Amino acid sequence: MRGFEVLLTLAVTAAFARAVVPRSRGPRWTGYAAPLAASAALVQILAEGARWQLIPAYALAAACLLGFLVRLRVRPGAAAPGRTGARAARAVRATLAVAGAAALLLAVTLPVALPVFRFDPPTGPYGIGTVTYHWAQPRPELVTADPDDRRELIAQVWYPAVADPAAPRAPYVESTDPVTRAARLLGLPGFLLSHFAHVTTNAVASAPAAPGGQAYPVLVYLTGRAGFRSANTFQIEELVSHGYVVVGLDQPGVSASVSLPGGRRVPLPNERVAALIDHDVAPGAGPGPPPSLPGGPVPGGIIRYLAQDVAFTLDRLAEINAADPRGVLTGRLDLARVGVFGVSLGGTTAAEACAREPRIGACLIMDSAIAAGTLAAGWRQPTMFLTRDAATMRLERERSGGWSEQEIAQTLGGMWAAYQRLPAGHGYHVEIPGMFHIQFTDLPYWFPPARAVGLTGPLPGRRGLKIVNAYTLAFFDAELRGRPAPLLDGGDARHPEARLRRR
């Protein structure tokens, strides 16, 4: 919890204890615990911002203050109630005590379970800057129904920057609309993750690029279906701190919602996209013709349609490298050393981008099915597959649902087949048993009790993130920079959970 949230919780606890304990049993100062709790609530709201997880604390502070004011109005010499009135008063006090205890329990547990979290500091020597761009393409937008719409992307770029510990940190999300819609797509209340508006990162908006004038390798990050461009901040910031530029995309048809200039939003047509993905992964498996998007049929399939955004991104990055309108990245992008990485649908799209785009030099695919057309076309770039074993997938199905035997076979079988077809010396296949699918994202930060309720696997969430980061950095360092990467030679005692194969 944040500092003033802790203060509020302590003040409310003291006020509630004073309300239920006879006055003679508490220190004299506790007689003012109720107004102190109300003051703490006001200070917390003004200093840190209100959030729904603290509603029980706010309500309890208000109730205690009301009780305090009522007691002030009661005259010391007032007649005591009769026997019947005394019984009724005791019953009311008992009921209020139980309700207050329940509110106090929620006041403590909700902000701990869904905290305004902080990302661990990355381990590299560079600070992190970030800027965001809006890019419009000439090709039609098929995710919307308007035939005049053209495809637009929001691209956030993170880059090595001058470290400034005192500078304000950039927000995790610029708008809560994507996370609100993502929660609804999962059948959860839309407000569940609204507190992400208060979360900051280790990046600084528009920070000066790191001194020295050097250009850095560029990596394009692709999120999973119903995700958002910063959903792997744990991984993005670690890479940038070690001297990479990372570009995260909000793509219509992938992100839960894409917020465009002028207040426009493109929500995800989730069921249609899911059906299109299934058709690309296993053509002909379902009855009837291929599904379509609101804007019409998708020539070549949804995966190829999405992968074209990567080629477009590289074109725009070349323009920025020549003359950045933000005045930050001119000459700082090494577009001769480009990689792409993605999780789930993002990994599926990354594989297709590698098969179609020769400018990409390395590909990292995390727990993703491979489209049949992509597998048939093949690609030759060095590629790492980060995934887990079938037993872990079945455990995930048992605890939190999903992952039919068909999905397990398609996902693991597709990645293994793609790995086997890579040229000698170009393939890495890493299994991390005990990791659930969502653990390849920032979720362990979002919901610390995830393991207790079955959302994450036996491998602790933060531990899984460290393993992912270690292999991610080693892979891109080896393949884009030619640096020695002992981790990729196998037998690293620091990461005994992972199983590495090379070809």
Side-chain angles (χ1 to χ4, degrees):
M1 288 192 289
R2 295 175 292 177
F4 287 110
E5 291 179 3
V6 173
L7 178 64
L8 170 60
T9 301
L10 293 175
V12 165
T13 301
F16 175 69
R18 176 64 182 181
V20 298
V21 174
R23 296 182 187 181
S24 60
R25 297 184 185 178
R28 185 172 182 179
W29 69 266
T30 61
Y32 299 97
L36 288 174
S39 299
L42 181 61
V43 169
Q44 188 280 322
I45 290 171
L46 294 175
E48 297 174 333
R51 63 185 185 110
W52 72 265
Q53 292 89 346
L54 294 174
I55 288 176
Y58 301 147
L60 194 54
C64 290
L65 180 63
L66 179 62
F68 173 80
L69 295 176
V70 168
R71 286 195 300 271
L72 288 180
R73 294 179 61 89
V74 176
R75 290 174 297 173
R83 183 176 300 177
T84 302
R87 288 199 196 101
R90 285 195 296 270
V92 170
R93 283 197 297 270
T95 301
L96 292 176
V98 170
L104 182 60
L105 179 63
L106 289 174
V108 174
T109 57
L110 281 177
V112 171
L114 292 166
V116 177
F117 55 86
R118 292 184 178 180
F119 288 98
D120 292 339
T123 63
Y126 292 100
I128 301 171
T130 185
V131 287
T132 302
Y133 302 87
H134 165 244
W135 294 335
Q137 305 181 42
R139 64 185 179 123
E141 176 59 83
L142 299 180
V143 175
T144 61
D146 190 336
D148 295 328
D149 283 349
R150 292 296 177 264
R151 190 156 175 80
E152 300 175 67
L153 302 175
I154 299 297
Q156 184 168 357
V157 181
W158 294 264
Y159 55 91
V162 175
D164 183 357
R169 268 28 196 178
Y172 184 40
V173 293
E174 292 183 358
S175 164
T176 58
D177 187 60
V179 293
T180 297
R181 291 182 184 272
R184 288 174 181 160
L185 289 173
L186 294 172
L188 301 171
F191 62 82
L192 186 69
L193 303 180
S194 59
H195 62 290
F196 280 17
H198 302 295
V199 175
T200 56
T201 65
N202 292 299
V204 175
S206 300
Q214 70 189 87
Y216 301 97
V218 175
L219 306 174
V220 179
Y221 164 68
L222 303 171
T223 188
R225 178 164 58 94
F228 50 98
R229 64 179 186 262
S230 56
N232 276 52
T233 291
F234 83 93
Q235 190 177 25
I236 292 168
E237 291 192 336
E238 180 68 6
L239 285 163
V240 176
S241 77
H242 286 273
Y244 290 88
V245 172
V246 179
V247 185
L249 299 181
D250 269 339
Q251 298 172 271
V254 177
S255 299
S257 175
V258 180
S259 299
L260 299 172
R264 296 172 296 142
R265 289 187 173 88
V266 183
L268 174 67
N270 192 43
E271 293 183 4
R272 294 196 189 193
V273 169
L276 281 162
I277 295 168
D278 290 343
H279 185 271
D280 278 6
V281 171
S292 63
L293 288 173
V298 188
I302 185 72
I303 302 304
R304 184 179 298 185
Y305 179 75
L306 297 174
Q308 291 172 11
D309 290 335
V310 177
F312 175 77
T313 294
L314 296 181
D315 293 340
R316 295 308 302 264
L317 290 175
E319 296 173 6
I320 286 172
N321 199 42
D324 181 12
R326 299 284 190 274
V328 176
L329 296 175
T330 302
R332 309 310 293 269
L333 309 179
D334 185 350
L335 294 173
R337 294 185 290 175
V338 171
V340 62
F341 67 105
V343 60
S344 195
L345 173 57
T348 306
T349 305
E352 174 68 12
C354 278
R356 304 287 175 182
E357 178 50 69
R359 288 175 289 180
I360 296 173
C363 188
L364 174 65
I365 297 168
M366 296 183 286
D367 215 40
S368 308
I370 306 298
T374 307
L375 192 59
W379 65 93
R380 301 186 62 82
Q381 294 96 327
T383 302
M384 175 175 280
F385 300 89
L386 279 176
T387 185
R388 57 262 172 76
D389 57 339
T392 298
M393 289 181 164
R394 294 187 182 106
L395 179 63
E396 183 174 351
R397 177 177 64 203
E398 177 185 326
R399 291 187 178 178
S400 55
W403 296 104
S404 67
E405 288 300 312
Q406 180 182 9
E407 289 175 319
I408 293 172
Q410 287 174 344
T411 302
L412 295 183
M415 285 189 289
W416 183 254
Y419 165 74
Q420 293 281 49
R421 297 181 188 185
L422 288 168
H426 280 52
Y428 306 83
H429 189 279
V430 183
E431 282 186 351
I432 312 173
M435 277 188 73
F436 285 2
H437 187 64
I438 199 70
Q439 284 178 261
F440 289 90
T441 72
D442 292 334
L443 178 117
Y445 284 100
W446 302 345
F447 187 47
R451 188 180 180 189
V453 300
L455 291 179
T456 60
L459 185 67
R462 297 287 186 92
R463 176 60 185 162
L465 301 185
K466 289 183 182 298
I467 295 171
V468 168
N469 274 345
Y471 277 94
T472 298
L473 184 60
F475 169 68
F476 285 125
D477 274 355
E479 298 300 339
L480 293 182
R481 287 175 153 159
R483 293 179 175 176
L487 178 62
L488 302 185
D489 295 329
D492 189 339
R494 294 172 299 171
H495 305 92
E497 304 93 337
R499 303 169 184 168
L500 169 68
R501 296 182 179 92
R502 290 191 60 171
R503 58 169 284 107

